[in-house]
Amino acid sequence: DQNRMTARGEEGGGLGRVAFGAVGGAMADVVPRLVTYPLETLKSRSMVTPILNKQLKSKDPAQLPKPRLAWRETLSRTYQTLGLWRGFFPGVHVALLGTIPGSAAYFFGYEVGKMATAGQSPAVQGAVSGVAAQLIANVFHTPIDNVKERAQVQESVVRAGGQKRVYSTSELVRRVAREEGLGAFMRGYWRGNLLWMPWSVLYVSGYEHLKRSTAEGVWTPFEDSEDSRTLRLGACSAASSAAACVLTHPIDVLKTRMQALPAGLVPGNGLGLATEVRRLLRAEGVSGLFAGLPYRVAQLSPATVMTWMIYEKLAERFAG
């Protein structure tokens, strides 16, 4: 009887942990997403700018920004023409709306993966948890990303002559559905998995490994206190996120271009991953595969730090 009670208690605790993963994950991701959204917008625009510039070059070379001043001109032009909110936060309400179910699904899968691999090494546990988390979450993230990224790069697309003006979110959704069909909202789902599954595996495995190593004294640059523990978790998260960003960035470039740009605007867009890689390398070189990397690292590293620190704090309260 005692064994049955213990088993039931562990089962209830496991189910409670999974439920916490869903609720706590959603709560932990909203504020970081909002705070770092301007960097995410700049990242998306910088990823599509090289290929759109080629479209512009045949029309009006004078419109092309000088490479070393491109970021300054982008900031200035965006602020002057669209203002702070429309310039740096386009589609933010869509992103935040999708963050809640997407993050809930991600951390739900994360906790399921941890339960399924209890007792395994940090690397195995992190890998399984990361894959499970991403497979579930990407079902929610893909349509949101398609709308959000289109909204983010509209100003660049208008300059390239891809559309007449900047549309509101509702206009954009109706236009995509009418001209490209409902399937366009799931464009890039498999590329998203190809991007975020390795990212999740790299990030979660690295984070769990660094967290345990620092906690067990393998690597202890911090004192044993509450404040230092917060710094330790933040450092583990930032390092893991930056490494995962660099290693997975080329796939993010291809995914973003596929989702952010209308299917017929850029020749070869959406024809296949291998074909697009060859086209990109021929046209832009290796640097094209890493367009927007500084913005991505600058956006994701603090975002993941904030998200996981909030999540860990909530987890401590839940366990207590």
Side-chain angles (χ1 to χ4, degrees):
D1 291 342
Q2 181 64 37
N3 290 337
R4 289 180 181 178
M5 290 177 63
T6 301
R8 288 176 182 173
E10 290 177 352
E11 181 181 357
L15 293 175
R17 183 75 187 181
V18 170
F20 163 76
V23 177
M27 294 173 61
D29 203 27
V30 171
V31 173
R33 188 68 181 273
L34 179 61
V35 171
T36 62
Y37 195 80
L39 289 170
E40 188 177 346
T41 298
L42 295 176
K43 179 215 73 169
S44 295
R45 289 175 181 161
S46 64
M47 285 180 173
V48 303
T49 293
I51 200 165
L52 289 177
N53 277 353
K54 292 184 178 297
Q55 299 291 93
L56 277 169
K57 186 172 287 188
S58 63
K59 298 178 181 180
D60 185 3
Q63 294 187 47
L64 288 171
K66 297 177 182 178
R68 294 185 179 181
L69 299 178
W71 67 272
R72 295 181 183 177
E73 293 184 7
T74 298
L75 291 174
S76 176
R77 180 184 177 88
T78 300
Y79 183 76
Q80 291 176 4
T81 59
L82 299 175
L84 179 64
W85 185 255
R86 289 184 61 195
F88 297 97
F89 293 89
V92 67
H93 53 297
V94 176
L96 292 179
L97 182 64
T99 291
I100 296 174
S103 297
Y106 182 90
F107 283 97
F108 173 85
Y110 172 73
E111 294 296 345
V112 169
K114 288 184 70 174
M115 287 176 57
T117 56
Q120 300 294 323
S121 68
V124 172
Q125 193 173 49
V128 173
S129 299
V131 170
Q134 191 53 48
L135 281 173
I136 297 173
N138 210 34
V139 174
F140 297 91
H141 283 307
T142 300
I144 296 299
D145 281 350
N146 273 284
V147 176
K148 181 261 297 180
E149 286 170 2
R150 294 248 184 152
Q152 287 176 322
V153 306
Q154 280 193 97
E155 196 263 348
S156 299
V157 174
V158 169
R159 291 183 65 196
Q163 63 188 51
K164 295 180 180 180
R165 62 180 177 85
V166 173
Y167 298 102
S168 67
T169 302
S170 59
E171 289 176 325
L172 186 62
V173 169
R174 289 195 299 269
R175 188 169 183 264
V176 172
R178 182 178 64 252
E179 297 182 3
E180 301 178 43
L182 294 177
F185 294 105
M186 290 302 294
R187 183 180 294 147
Y189 172 78
W190 292 112
R191 289 192 189 186
N193 284 326
L194 188 60
L195 163 66
W196 292 112
M197 283 175 61
W199 190 95
S200 295
V201 169
L202 291 167
Y203 173 76
V204 175
S205 297
Y207 176 73
E208 292 290 344
H209 176 74
L210 289 175
K211 187 173 70 170
R212 293 191 186 189
S213 296
T214 55
E216 294 170 0
V218 177
W219 180 64
T220 55
F222 302 106
E223 299 293 333
D224 187 14
S225 66
E226 182 64 24
D227 290 341
S228 65
R229 182 177 184 277
T230 300
L231 290 174
R232 176 171 61 84
L233 293 177
C236 293
S237 180
S240 300
S241 176
C245 281
V246 174
L247 293 172
T248 61
H249 191 75
I251 300 297
D252 193 29
V253 172
L254 296 171
K255 181 192 80 75
T256 299
R257 290 184 177 186
M258 183 181 192
Q259 292 179 324
L261 299 174
L265 179 61
V266 179
N269 191 30
L271 291 182
L273 194 61
T275 300
E276 289 185 43
V277 169
R278 289 194 296 268
R279 285 176 177 267
L280 190 152
L281 288 173
R282 284 198 302 267
E284 303 171 40
V286 176
S287 62
L289 290 173
F290 291 92
L293 178 60
Y295 288 126
R296 186 169 182 239
V297 173
Q299 183 261 323
L300 269 181
S301 291
T304 50
V305 168
M306 288 186 280
T307 297
W308 282 82
M309 287 176 66
I310 294 171
Y311 186 76
E312 293 284 358
K313 291 294 184 182
L314 292 173
E316 288 178 3
R317 290 182 177 273
F318 173 81

